[in-house]
Tab-separated table of all heavy atoms in Angstrom:
chain	number	residue	atom	x	y	z
A	1	MET	N	8.979	-8.515	7.659
A	1	MET	CA	8.105	-8.592	8.674
A	1	MET	C	7.194	-9.774	8.599
A	1	MET	O	6.747	-9.875	7.498
A	1	MET	CB	7.232	-7.255	8.823
A	1	MET	CG	7.074	-6.816	10.268
A	1	MET	SD	6.068	-5.397	10.396
A	1	MET	CE	7.293	-4.241	9.938
A	2	PRO	N	7.005	-10.560	9.563
A	2	PRO	CA	6.179	-11.746	9.374
A	2	PRO	C	4.726	-11.456	9.245
A	2	PRO	O	4.201	-10.409	9.819
A	2	PRO	CB	6.491	-12.773	10.525
A	2	PRO	CG	6.968	-11.751	11.619
A	2	PRO	CD	7.641	-10.488	10.929
A	3	THR	N	4.056	-12.403	8.753
A	3	THR	CA	2.584	-12.271	8.590
A	3	THR	C	1.879	-13.198	9.471
A	3	THR	O	2.330	-14.405	9.566
A	3	THR	CB	2.203	-12.461	7.202
A	3	THR	OG1	2.847	-11.548	6.253
A	3	THR	CG2	0.635	-12.269	7.068
A	4	TYR	N	0.894	-12.767	10.277
A	4	TYR	CA	0.334	-13.605	11.133
A	4	TYR	C	-1.187	-13.710	10.789
A	4	TYR	O	-1.794	-12.838	10.347
A	4	TYR	CB	0.317	-13.036	12.618
A	4	TYR	CG	1.857	-12.982	13.077
A	4	TYR	CD1	2.438	-11.826	13.018
A	4	TYR	CD2	2.324	-14.107	13.618
A	4	TYR	CE1	3.761	-11.719	13.458
A	4	TYR	CE2	3.699	-14.032	14.019
A	4	TYR	CZ	4.331	-12.801	13.932
A	4	TYR	OH	5.571	-12.795	14.467
A	5	ALA	N	-1.761	-14.840	10.971
A	5	ALA	CA	-3.095	-15.122	10.610
A	5	ALA	C	-3.945	-15.312	11.835
A	5	ALA	O	-3.657	-15.777	12.807
A	5	ALA	CB	-3.195	-16.445	9.810
A	6	TYR	N	-5.179	-14.559	11.763
A	6	TYR	CA	-6.109	-14.534	12.822
A	6	TYR	C	-7.434	-14.921	12.304
A	6	TYR	O	-7.742	-14.922	11.002
A	6	TYR	CB	-6.161	-13.162	13.481
A	6	TYR	CG	-4.856	-12.678	13.948
A	6	TYR	CD1	-3.983	-12.067	13.039
A	6	TYR	CD2	-4.557	-12.815	15.278
A	6	TYR	CE1	-2.798	-11.607	13.629
A	6	TYR	CE2	-3.379	-12.276	15.776
A	6	TYR	CZ	-2.469	-11.670	14.917
A	6	TYR	OH	-1.325	-11.278	15.394
A	7	ARG	N	-8.246	-15.358	13.214
A	7	ARG	CA	-9.672	-15.609	12.846
A	7	ARG	C	-10.673	-14.950	13.871
A	7	ARG	O	-10.350	-15.029	14.987
A	7	ARG	CB	-9.894	-17.056	12.760
A	7	ARG	CG	-11.196	-17.462	12.002
A	7	ARG	CD	-11.253	-18.924	11.727
A	7	ARG	NE	-11.444	-19.709	12.889
A	7	ARG	CZ	-12.542	-20.047	13.369
A	7	ARG	NH1	-13.707	-19.665	12.900
A	7	ARG	NH2	-12.608	-20.832	14.441
A	8	CYS	N	-11.658	-14.393	13.261
A	8	CYS	CA	-12.567	-13.714	14.069
A	8	CYS	C	-13.601	-14.712	14.557
A	8	CYS	O	-14.205	-15.433	13.613
A	8	CYS	CB	-13.275	-12.540	13.386
A	8	CYS	SG	-14.557	-11.708	14.386
A	9	ARG	N	-13.996	-14.727	15.731
A	9	ARG	CA	-15.005	-15.683	16.274
A	9	ARG	C	-16.384	-15.277	16.164
A	9	ARG	O	-17.345	-15.924	16.412
A	9	ARG	CB	-14.727	-16.194	17.745
A	9	ARG	CG	-13.301	-16.879	17.776
A	9	ARG	CD	-13.265	-17.693	19.046
A	9	ARG	NE	-12.983	-16.904	20.141
A	9	ARG	CZ	-12.297	-17.353	21.184
A	9	ARG	NH1	-12.114	-18.512	21.382
A	9	ARG	NH2	-12.089	-16.407	22.235
A	10	GLU	N	-16.461	-14.059	15.853
A	10	GLU	CA	-17.891	-13.346	15.759
A	10	GLU	C	-18.407	-13.544	14.245
A	10	GLU	O	-19.557	-13.873	14.029
A	10	GLU	CB	-17.783	-11.879	16.097
A	10	GLU	CG	-17.592	-11.717	17.556
A	10	GLU	CD	-17.837	-10.342	18.068
A	10	GLU	OE1	-18.769	-9.672	17.549
A	10	GLU	OE2	-17.046	-9.784	18.890
A	11	CYS	N	-17.517	-13.223	13.327
A	11	CYS	CA	-17.972	-13.370	11.976
A	11	CYS	C	-17.248	-14.518	11.132
A	11	CYS	O	-17.375	-14.614	9.938
A	11	CYS	CB	-17.804	-12.002	11.245
A	11	CYS	SG	-16.114	-11.444	11.040
A	12	THR	N	-16.371	-15.155	11.822
A	12	THR	CA	-15.591	-16.286	11.388
A	12	THR	C	-14.807	-15.893	10.176
A	12	THR	O	-14.485	-16.721	9.329
A	12	THR	CB	-16.483	-17.525	10.966
A	12	THR	OG1	-17.270	-17.171	9.873
A	12	THR	CG2	-17.375	-17.957	12.082
A	13	GLU	N	-14.398	-14.652	10.124
A	13	GLU	CA	-13.489	-14.190	9.083
A	13	GLU	C	-12.090	-14.357	9.504
A	13	GLU	O	-11.821	-14.168	10.485
A	13	GLU	CB	-13.839	-12.610	8.850
A	13	GLU	CG	-13.146	-12.033	7.744
A	13	GLU	CD	-13.909	-12.267	6.437
A	13	GLU	OE1	-15.062	-12.662	6.416
A	13	GLU	OE2	-13.302	-12.094	5.436
A	14	SER	N	-11.435	-14.894	8.445
A	14	SER	CA	-9.907	-15.053	8.592
A	14	SER	C	-9.169	-13.804	7.950
A	14	SER	O	-9.728	-13.399	6.948
A	14	SER	CB	-9.521	-16.264	7.918
A	14	SER	OG	-10.037	-17.410	8.648
A	15	PHE	N	-8.236	-13.427	8.588
A	15	PHE	CA	-7.538	-12.301	8.082
A	15	PHE	C	-6.090	-12.339	8.533
A	15	PHE	O	-5.726	-13.179	9.416
A	15	PHE	CB	-8.122	-10.920	8.544
A	15	PHE	CG	-8.280	-10.710	9.987
A	15	PHE	CD1	-7.321	-10.025	10.616
A	15	PHE	CD2	-9.128	-11.331	10.703
A	15	PHE	CE1	-7.265	-9.836	12.043
A	15	PHE	CE2	-9.215	-11.158	12.111
A	15	PHE	CZ	-8.292	-10.434	12.823
A	16	GLU	N	-5.252	-11.575	7.919
A	16	GLU	CA	-3.921	-11.576	8.204
A	16	GLU	C	-3.403	-10.240	8.469
A	16	GLU	O	-3.867	-9.264	8.026
A	16	GLU	CB	-3.082	-12.133	6.996
A	16	GLU	CG	-3.384	-13.662	6.654
A	16	GLU	CD	-2.607	-14.027	5.345
A	16	GLU	OE1	-1.938	-13.233	4.889
A	16	GLU	OE2	-2.510	-15.332	5.254
A	17	LEU	N	-2.410	-10.241	9.370
A	17	LEU	CA	-1.795	-8.933	9.716
A	17	LEU	C	-0.338	-9.083	9.691
A	17	LEU	O	0.280	-10.124	10.010
A	17	LEU	CB	-2.108	-8.550	11.105
A	17	LEU	CG	-3.613	-8.128	11.371
A	17	LEU	CD1	-3.673	-7.787	13.027
A	17	LEU	CD2	-3.971	-6.855	10.580
A	18	THR	N	0.366	-8.044	9.186
A	18	THR	CA	1.780	-7.997	9.026
A	18	THR	C	2.265	-7.070	10.134
A	18	THR	O	1.839	-5.883	10.110
A	18	THR	CB	2.312	-7.564	7.705
A	18	THR	OG1	1.749	-8.271	6.722
A	18	THR	CG2	3.678	-7.605	7.621
A	19	ARG	N	2.865	-7.756	11.002
A	19	ARG	CA	3.253	-6.965	12.255
A	19	ARG	C	4.562	-7.403	12.869
A	19	ARG	O	5.036	-8.594	12.497
A	19	ARG	CB	2.152	-6.918	13.339
A	19	ARG	CG	1.598	-8.323	13.518
A	19	ARG	CD	0.839	-8.529	14.717
A	19	ARG	NE	-0.128	-7.452	14.966
A	19	ARG	CZ	-1.130	-7.519	15.855
A	19	ARG	NH1	-1.039	-8.585	16.725
A	19	ARG	NH2	-1.935	-6.465	16.026
A	20	PRO	N	5.221	-6.688	13.567
A	20	PRO	CA	6.401	-7.121	14.214
A	20	PRO	C	6.277	-8.344	15.057
A	20	PRO	O	5.226	-8.559	15.601
A	20	PRO	CB	7.014	-5.911	14.939
A	20	PRO	CG	6.142	-4.699	14.325
A	20	PRO	CD	4.864	-5.344	13.914
A	21	MET	N	7.331	-9.096	15.212
A	21	MET	CA	7.169	-10.201	16.027
A	21	MET	C	6.729	-9.935	17.418
A	21	MET	O	6.189	-10.679	18.195
A	21	MET	CB	8.444	-11.096	16.013
A	21	MET	CG	8.447	-12.383	15.186
A	21	MET	SD	10.105	-13.197	15.299
A	21	MET	CE	10.337	-13.435	13.581
A	22	SER	N	7.289	-8.798	17.825
A	22	SER	CA	7.039	-8.462	19.299
A	22	SER	C	5.556	-8.064	19.556
A	22	SER	O	5.189	-8.101	20.691
A	22	SER	CB	7.937	-7.162	19.669
A	22	SER	OG	7.612	-6.147	18.775
A	23	GLU	N	4.916	-7.943	18.433
A	23	GLU	CA	3.422	-7.660	18.642
A	23	GLU	C	2.548	-8.846	18.194
A	23	GLU	O	1.367	-8.709	18.069
A	23	GLU	CB	3.040	-6.457	17.791
A	23	GLU	CG	3.712	-5.230	18.329
A	23	GLU	CD	3.452	-3.998	17.390
A	23	GLU	OE1	2.491	-4.008	16.655
A	23	GLU	OE2	4.176	-2.976	17.485
A	24	SER	N	3.206	-9.985	17.998
A	24	SER	CA	2.366	-11.059	17.506
A	24	SER	C	1.362	-11.477	18.417
A	24	SER	O	0.434	-12.149	18.082
A	24	SER	CB	3.247	-12.151	17.064
A	24	SER	OG	3.886	-12.766	18.238
A	25	GLY	N	1.657	-11.214	19.708
A	25	GLY	CA	0.597	-11.770	20.783
A	25	GLY	C	-0.437	-10.690	20.970
A	25	GLY	O	-1.420	-11.009	21.822
A	26	ASP	N	-0.225	-9.596	20.490
A	26	ASP	CA	-1.134	-8.517	20.786
A	26	ASP	C	-2.569	-8.952	20.260
A	26	ASP	O	-2.723	-9.620	19.215
A	26	ASP	CB	-0.797	-7.046	20.150
A	26	ASP	CG	0.351	-6.592	21.005
A	26	ASP	OD1	0.846	-7.344	21.930
A	26	ASP	OD2	0.825	-5.572	20.645
A	27	PRO	N	-3.635	-8.359	20.870
A	27	PRO	CA	-4.972	-8.692	20.242
A	27	PRO	C	-5.151	-8.053	18.887
A	27	PRO	O	-4.650	-6.871	18.638
A	27	PRO	CB	-5.947	-8.074	21.233
A	27	PRO	CG	-5.214	-7.224	22.188
A	27	PRO	CD	-3.714	-7.721	22.124
A	28	ALA	N	-5.824	-8.836	17.956
A	28	ALA	CA	-6.033	-8.201	16.649
A	28	ALA	C	-7.422	-7.955	16.409
A	28	ALA	O	-8.375	-8.731	16.967
A	28	ALA	CB	-5.554	-9.234	15.637
A	29	VAL	N	-7.748	-6.895	15.717
A	29	VAL	CA	-9.194	-6.563	15.450
A	29	VAL	C	-9.457	-6.939	14.086
A	29	VAL	O	-8.638	-6.641	13.124
A	29	VAL	CB	-9.391	-5.086	15.654
A	29	VAL	CG1	-10.815	-4.622	15.436
A	29	VAL	CG2	-9.070	-4.654	17.072
A	30	CYS	N	-10.532	-7.639	13.875
A	30	CYS	CA	-10.887	-8.162	12.590
A	30	CYS	C	-11.408	-6.922	11.711
A	30	CYS	O	-11.741	-5.958	12.162
A	30	CYS	CB	-12.047	-9.242	12.663
A	30	CYS	SG	-13.553	-8.826	12.251
A	31	PRO	N	-11.376	-7.225	10.370
A	31	PRO	CA	-11.666	-6.222	9.471
A	31	PRO	C	-13.120	-5.738	9.659
A	31	PRO	O	-13.452	-4.543	9.405
A	31	PRO	CB	-11.646	-6.823	8.012
A	31	PRO	CG	-10.642	-7.851	8.269
A	31	PRO	CD	-10.764	-8.372	9.706
A	32	GLY	N	-14.006	-6.474	10.391
A	32	GLY	CA	-15.249	-6.092	10.735
A	32	GLY	C	-15.422	-5.232	11.983
A	32	GLY	O	-16.466	-4.864	12.276
A	33	GLY	N	-14.170	-5.076	12.588
A	33	GLY	CA	-14.177	-4.389	13.819
A	33	GLY	C	-14.370	-5.182	15.100
A	33	GLY	O	-14.498	-4.601	16.276
A	34	HIS	N	-14.492	-6.440	14.908
A	34	HIS	CA	-14.671	-7.277	16.209
A	34	HIS	C	-13.380	-7.505	16.847
A	34	HIS	O	-12.330	-7.667	16.234
A	34	HIS	CB	-15.349	-8.676	15.749
A	34	HIS	CG	-16.595	-8.457	14.896
A	34	HIS	ND1	-16.648	-9.168	13.679
A	34	HIS	CD2	-17.666	-7.711	15.017
A	34	HIS	CE1	-17.876	-8.795	13.032
A	34	HIS	NE2	-18.411	-7.964	13.946
A	35	ARG	N	-13.396	-7.782	18.102
A	35	ARG	CA	-12.181	-7.912	18.841
A	35	ARG	C	-12.005	-9.405	19.339
A	35	ARG	O	-11.049	-9.693	19.950
A	35	ARG	CB	-12.240	-7.044	20.107
A	35	ARG	CG	-12.129	-5.576	19.643
A	35	ARG	CD	-12.362	-4.636	20.853
A	35	ARG	NE	-11.794	-3.293	20.582
A	35	ARG	CZ	-10.471	-3.091	20.693
A	35	ARG	NH1	-9.507	-3.968	21.240
A	35	ARG	NH2	-9.906	-1.857	20.445
A	36	ASP	N	-13.021	-10.186	19.234
A	36	ASP	CA	-12.924	-11.487	19.707
A	36	ASP	C	-12.245	-12.342	18.656
A	36	ASP	O	-12.867	-13.112	17.817
A	36	ASP	CB	-14.376	-12.004	19.915
A	36	ASP	CG	-14.346	-13.433	20.618
A	36	ASP	OD1	-13.217	-13.880	21.108
A	36	ASP	OD2	-15.288	-14.001	20.756
A	37	THR	N	-11.013	-12.276	18.450
A	37	THR	CA	-10.146	-13.032	17.489
A	37	THR	C	-9.187	-13.951	18.197
A	37	THR	O	-8.823	-13.751	19.297
A	37	THR	CB	-9.471	-12.024	16.649
A	37	THR	OG1	-8.586	-11.208	17.541
A	37	THR	CG2	-10.354	-11.174	15.862
A	38	VAL	N	-8.867	-14.935	17.426
A	38	VAL	CA	-7.896	-15.947	17.872
A	38	VAL	C	-6.798	-15.930	16.782
A	38	VAL	O	-7.010	-15.743	15.627
A	38	VAL	CB	-8.458	-17.261	18.029
A	38	VAL	CG1	-9.407	-17.373	19.182
A	38	VAL	CG2	-9.245	-17.679	16.717
A	39	LYS	N	-5.617	-16.152	17.315
A	39	LYS	CA	-4.492	-16.253	16.418
A	39	LYS	C	-4.307	-17.587	15.912
A	39	LYS	O	-4.393	-18.663	16.731
A	39	LYS	CB	-3.151	-15.850	17.243
A	39	LYS	CG	-2.020	-15.724	16.400
A	39	LYS	CD	-0.862	-14.946	17.198
A	39	LYS	CE	0.499	-15.172	16.581
A	39	LYS	NZ	1.022	-16.505	16.827
A	40	LEU	N	-4.069	-17.686	14.553
A	40	LEU	CA	-3.945	-19.064	14.080
A	40	LEU	C	-2.497	-19.432	14.087
A	40	LEU	O	-1.630	-18.651	14.456
A	40	LEU	CB	-4.458	-19.202	12.548
A	40	LEU	CG	-6.017	-18.643	12.432
A	40	LEU	CD1	-6.417	-18.574	10.988
A	40	LEU	CD2	-6.906	-19.636	13.321
A	41	LEU	N	-2.185	-20.649	13.526
A	41	LEU	CA	-0.897	-21.073	13.424
A	41	LEU	C	-0.080	-19.921	12.565
A	41	LEU	O	-0.462	-19.436	11.618
A	41	LEU	CB	-0.682	-22.369	12.713
A	41	LEU	CG	-1.183	-23.509	13.574
A	41	LEU	CD1	-1.152	-24.737	12.677
A	41	LEU	CD2	-0.261	-23.697	14.679
A	42	THR	N	0.951	-19.637	13.107
A	42	THR	CA	1.913	-18.641	12.470
A	42	THR	C	2.196	-19.058	11.069
A	42	THR	O	2.780	-20.213	10.785
A	42	THR	CB	3.064	-18.341	13.312
A	42	THR	OG1	2.761	-18.128	14.577
A	42	THR	CG2	3.828	-17.280	12.575
A	43	THR	N	1.885	-18.244	10.178
A	43	THR	CA	2.353	-18.576	8.778
A	43	THR	C	3.459	-17.594	8.505
A	43	THR	O	3.257	-16.377	8.505
A	43	THR	CB	1.205	-18.242	7.728
A	43	THR	OG1	0.707	-16.911	7.996
A	43	THR	CG2	0.111	-19.128	8.019
A	44	VAL	N	4.635	-18.253	8.409
A	44	VAL	CA	5.829	-17.252	8.047
A	44	VAL	C	5.795	-17.113	6.597
A	44	VAL	O	6.144	-17.900	5.739
A	44	VAL	CB	7.064	-17.984	8.601
A	44	VAL	CG1	8.303	-17.144	8.177
A	44	VAL	CG2	7.033	-18.326	9.981
A	45	ALA	N	5.348	-16.004	6.263
A	45	ALA	CA	5.316	-15.516	4.781
A	45	ALA	C	6.159	-14.418	4.580
A	45	ALA	O	5.807	-13.255	4.226
A	45	ALA	CB	3.732	-15.166	4.456
A	46	LEU	N	7.386	-14.724	4.733
A	46	LEU	CA	8.444	-13.606	4.434
A	46	LEU	C	8.332	-13.337	2.988
A	46	LEU	O	8.381	-14.214	2.199
A	46	LEU	CB	9.666	-14.144	4.970
A	46	LEU	CG	9.855	-14.373	6.416
A	46	LEU	CD1	11.305	-14.898	6.778
A	46	LEU	CD2	9.634	-13.177	7.190
A	47	THR	N	8.426	-12.121	2.766
A	47	THR	CA	8.389	-11.708	1.318
A	47	THR	C	9.749	-12.026	0.673
A	47	THR	O	10.771	-11.683	1.360
A	47	THR	CB	8.132	-10.191	1.197
A	47	THR	OG1	7.113	-9.781	2.126
A	47	THR	CG2	7.760	-9.840	-0.225
A	48	GLY	N	9.735	-12.718	-0.351
A	48	GLY	CA	11.082	-13.086	-0.925
A	48	GLY	C	10.830	-13.455	-2.410
A	48	GLY	O	9.767	-13.257	-2.966
A	49	LYS	N	11.802	-14.169	-2.782
A	49	LYS	CA	11.669	-14.600	-4.182
A	49	LYS	C	10.738	-15.784	-4.300
A	49	LYS	O	10.561	-16.625	-3.466
A	49	LYS	CB	13.017	-15.122	-4.632
A	49	LYS	CG	14.185	-14.145	-4.464
A	49	LYS	CD	15.546	-14.790	-4.971
A	49	LYS	CE	16.678	-13.840	-4.524
A	49	LYS	NZ	17.108	-14.161	-3.209
A	50	ALA	N	10.032	-15.751	-5.420
A	50	ALA	CA	9.083	-16.863	-5.612
A	50	ALA	C	9.956	-18.083	-6.035
A	50	ALA	O	11.119	-17.921	-6.304
A	50	ALA	CB	8.080	-16.458	-6.674
A	51	ALA	N	9.312	-19.121	-6.132
A	51	ALA	CA	9.964	-20.341	-6.589
A	51	ALA	C	10.587	-20.155	-8.031
A	51	ALA	O	9.920	-19.562	-8.861
A	51	ALA	CB	9.012	-21.518	-6.545
A	52	GLY	N	11.694	-20.523	-8.171
A	52	GLY	CA	12.405	-20.230	-9.433
A	52	GLY	C	11.643	-21.007	-10.620
A	52	GLY	O	11.013	-21.969	-10.398
A	53	SER	N	11.655	-20.370	-11.694
A	53	SER	CA	10.992	-20.991	-12.830
A	53	SER	C	11.814	-22.047	-13.314
A	53	SER	O	12.992	-22.292	-12.876
A	53	SER	CB	10.782	-19.946	-13.950
A	53	SER	OG	11.923	-19.310	-14.252
A	54	GLY	N	11.328	-22.690	-14.261
A	54	GLY	CA	12.037	-23.911	-14.843
A	54	GLY	C	13.212	-23.543	-15.696
A	54	GLY	O	13.984	-22.607	-15.490
A	55	ALA	N	13.477	-24.275	-16.760
A	55	ALA	CA	14.583	-24.047	-17.559
A	55	ALA	C	14.441	-22.677	-18.375
A	55	ALA	O	13.269	-22.334	-18.598
A	55	ALA	CB	14.654	-25.152	-18.589
A	56	PRO	N	15.514	-22.103	-18.493
A	56	PRO	CA	15.376	-20.790	-19.285
A	56	PRO	C	14.878	-21.092	-20.708
A	56	PRO	O	15.144	-22.092	-21.266
A	56	PRO	CB	16.836	-20.313	-19.367
A	56	PRO	CG	17.684	-21.400	-18.985
A	56	PRO	CD	16.832	-22.340	-18.163
A	57	SER	N	14.201	-20.128	-21.216
A	57	SER	CA	13.620	-20.358	-22.541
A	57	SER	C	14.839	-20.545	-23.583
A	57	SER	O	15.697	-19.603	-23.636
A	57	SER	CB	12.719	-19.235	-22.990
A	57	SER	OG	13.461	-18.112	-22.896
A	58	ALA	N	14.768	-21.654	-24.258
A	58	ALA	CA	15.800	-21.811	-25.236
A	58	ALA	C	15.660	-20.881	-26.394
A	58	ALA	O	14.449	-20.611	-26.882
A	58	ALA	CB	15.811	-23.260	-25.737
A	59	PRO	N	16.653	-20.422	-26.973
A	59	PRO	CA	16.596	-19.596	-28.169
A	59	PRO	C	15.942	-20.418	-29.257
A	59	PRO	O	16.320	-21.572	-29.517
A	59	PRO	CB	17.923	-19.252	-28.463
A	59	PRO	CG	18.830	-20.142	-27.836
A	59	PRO	CD	18.007	-20.641	-26.608
A	60	SER	N	14.859	-19.778	-29.939
A	60	SER	CA	14.181	-20.577	-30.898
A	60	SER	C	15.210	-20.816	-32.105
A	60	SER	O	15.856	-19.771	-32.524
A	60	SER	CB	12.992	-19.858	-31.412
A	60	SER	OG	13.330	-18.546	-31.743
A	61	ALA	N	15.186	-22.036	-32.611
A	61	ALA	CA	15.991	-22.211	-33.778
A	61	ALA	C	15.529	-21.472	-35.051
A	61	ALA	O	14.372	-21.100	-35.011
A	61	ALA	CB	15.933	-23.803	-34.077
A	62	PRO	N	16.392	-21.078	-35.888
A	62	PRO	CA	16.007	-20.429	-36.971
A	62	PRO	C	15.096	-21.376	-37.845
A	62	PRO	O	15.136	-22.512	-37.780
A	62	PRO	CB	17.235	-20.239	-37.852
A	62	PRO	CG	18.328	-21.074	-37.241
A	62	PRO	CD	17.853	-21.268	-35.706
A	63	SER	N	14.064	-20.679	-38.474
A	63	SER	CA	13.046	-21.501	-39.011
A	63	SER	C	13.685	-22.472	-40.080
A	63	SER	O	14.609	-22.147	-40.840
A	63	SER	CB	12.056	-20.582	-39.836
A	63	SER	OG	12.753	-19.805	-40.720
A	64	GLY	N	13.171	-23.595	-40.087
A	64	GLY	CA	13.713	-24.595	-40.977
A	64	GLY	C	13.200	-24.320	-42.358
A	64	GLY	O	12.776	-23.165	-42.687
A	65	GLY	N	13.140	-25.299	-43.158
A	65	GLY	CA	12.774	-25.127	-44.527
A	65	GLY	C	13.854	-25.285	-45.404
A	65	GLY	O	13.731	-25.011	-46.726
A	66	GLY	N	14.967	-25.587	-45.010
A	66	GLY	CA	15.980	-25.986	-45.847
A	66	GLY	C	16.579	-24.899	-46.680
A	66	GLY	O	17.085	-23.837	-46.157
A	67	CYS	N	16.500	-25.011	-47.990
A	67	CYS	CA	17.286	-24.061	-48.878
A	67	CYS	C	16.858	-22.609	-48.766
A	67	CYS	O	17.740	-21.811	-49.098
A	67	CYS	CB	17.196	-24.553	-50.251
A	67	CYS	SG	15.531	-24.519	-51.005
A	68	CYS	N	15.646	-22.273	-48.420
A	68	CYS	CA	15.324	-20.947	-48.455
A	68	CYS	C	16.092	-20.184	-47.401
A	68	CYS	O	16.190	-18.975	-47.609
A	68	CYS	CB	13.716	-20.756	-48.117
A	68	CYS	SG	12.725	-21.467	-49.430
A	69	GLY	N	16.587	-20.858	-46.363
A	69	GLY	CA	17.312	-20.089	-45.322
A	69	GLY	C	18.698	-19.846	-45.990
A	69	GLY	O	19.382	-18.916	-45.409
A	70	GLY	N	19.138	-20.614	-46.738
A	70	GLY	CA	20.494	-20.475	-47.176
A	70	GLY	C	20.834	-19.685	-48.348
A	70	GLY	O	21.862	-19.500	-48.832
A	71	GLY	N	19.732	-19.252	-49.010
A	71	GLY	CA	19.910	-18.431	-50.155
A	71	GLY	C	19.832	-19.061	-51.512
A	71	GLY	O	19.820	-18.455	-52.486
A	72	CYS	N	19.776	-20.435	-51.382
A	72	CYS	CA	19.815	-21.054	-52.622
A	72	CYS	C	18.487	-21.010	-53.472
A	72	CYS	O	18.415	-21.266	-54.640
A	72	CYS	CB	20.078	-22.512	-52.503
A	72	CYS	SG	18.887	-23.499	-51.546
A	73	CYS	N	17.490	-20.479	-52.814
A	73	CYS	CA	16.183	-20.236	-53.624
A	73	CYS	C	16.137	-18.878	-54.120
A	73	CYS	O	15.244	-18.629	-54.958
A	73	CYS	CB	15.017	-20.544	-52.608
A	73	CYS	SG	14.940	-22.141	-51.975
A	74	ALA	N	16.995	-18.020	-53.776
A	74	ALA	CA	16.800	-16.655	-54.137
A	74	ALA	C	17.283	-16.454	-55.540
A	74	ALA	O	18.226	-17.147	-55.956
A	74	ALA	CB	17.535	-15.705	-53.171
B	101	ZN	ZN1	-15.235	-10.092	12.762
């Protein structure tokens, strides 16, 4: 369901409503209870995947240190 942004002209509060597209033109009541609101540019904020992260974390290499890893120190 898309999210629509509105602004109240009485308290200048901006708020968003998630409502069906068929009701996007309906009057919205601000959280403060005012009815004098205007619809802002439609922000299509469809819920979905966030932007993918970067490279997958590489497996950390075994600790270096030379011979202690190979058993020659033991
Ligand atoms: Zn208001």
Side-chain angles (χ1 to χ4, degrees):
M1 215 178 290
T3 300
Y4 299 95
Y6 300 83
R7 193 164 71 88
C8 177
R9 290 197 286 201
E10 292 194 36
C11 64
T12 69
E13 186 82 15
S14 294
F15 59 99
E16 293 181 349
L17 288 181
T18 301
R19 46 168 44 177
M21 250 181 231
S22 57
E23 297 177 12
S24 66
D26 288 4
V29 180
C30 109
H34 310 126
R35 295 175 155 274
D36 191 8
T37 57
V38 289
K39 184 165 168 287
L40 302 179
L41 286 176
T42 304
T43 54
V44 179
L46 296 175
T47 320
K49 307 181 188 79
S53 55
S57 57
S60 55
S63 57
C67 65
C68 289
C72 63
C73 295

